[in-house]
Amino acid sequence: MINRLILVFISLIALSSLAHAQKADDILGTWLTDEGKARIEVYKENGKYNGKIVGLKEPKNEDGSLKRDKENPEEELRDRPIVGLNLIKGFVFDDDQWEDGEIYDPESGKTYSCRIKMKKGKLEVRGYIGAPMFGRTVVWSRYK
């Protein structure tokens, strides 16, 4: 009887850790930014979650040229296209959120600390400087 209880207990622990791993990967896939300007593909690499821009609502400038990372503080990176650009990087999953990552804003050329939470199937992406209380949250929706 005791052996059976131990087996059930071990099984429950294994199942809960499996569910935790599946929850961590819930962020994977393609997301639409809050204003619908960009589609971000979130992927996992070397145990960390990253995301790159895979599409823009308006991928070209008025003159027909591709939008580029012209606001980047590093001059040698200013000519790279926005589509394909890594926007979020280095996130780890801990306690129902993805944290310890960064988010890059190609419109300003600035990089911020960031954390991401999932609520009701949407991502709450909070970029901040210093502490999360000094930041801004945007909501991304899953792209279909």
Side-chain angles (χ1 to χ4, degrees):
M1 178 71 170
I2 291 179
N3 287 341
R4 242 182 237 201
L5 287 174
I6 291 172
L7 183 60
V8 168
F9 181 71
I10 291 172
S11 297
L12 288 174
I13 290 173
L15 285 174
S16 79
S17 67
L18 179 61
H20 185 69
Q22 290 173 339
K23 183 152 177 63
D25 286 349
D26 285 351
I27 195 172
L28 298 175
T30 305
W31 299 87
L32 190 62
T33 59
D34 61 330
E35 296 175 352
K37 290 182 178 181
R39 289 187 320 274
I40 313 301
E41 180 186 341
V42 178
Y43 59 95
K44 190 174 183 180
E45 183 175 61
N46 299 322
K48 297 201 176 193
Y49 297 89
N50 305 295
K52 64 182 174 184
I53 299 173
V54 293
L56 292 174
K57 184 176 183 179
E58 297 177 15
K60 295 184 178 181
N61 295 308
E62 289 181 15
D63 65 2
S65 63
L66 288 177
K67 290 191 176 178
R68 305 226 174 243
D69 192 16
K70 64 182 180 175
E71 299 300 324
N72 196 298
E74 296 181 42
E75 190 174 336
E76 64 275 8
L77 298 178
R78 291 181 188 158
D79 196 40
R80 65 185 178 172
I82 296 293
V83 174
L85 189 71
N86 280 325
L87 187 74
I88 60 172
K89 66 179 181 177
F91 287 84
V92 294
F93 184 75
D94 186 34
D95 196 27
D96 291 333
Q97 69 180 356
W98 296 266
E99 54 188 30
D100 298 331
E102 297 179 327
I103 188 165
Y104 175 69
D105 176 8
E107 291 182 357
S108 69
K110 294 182 181 178
T111 300
Y112 300 94
S113 298
C114 187
R115 74 174 183 204
I116 302 171
K117 292 181 180 182
M118 186 175 289
K119 289 192 179 174
K120 298 181 182 178
K122 296 187 178 202
L123 295 183
E124 292 184 354
V125 181
R126 184 160 187 83
Y128 59 91
I129 297 173
M133 70 172 73
F134 302 111
R136 180 175 156 234
T137 300
V138 294
V139 178
W140 295 357
S141 302
R142 191 163 297 273
Y143 182 74
K144 298 178 184 218

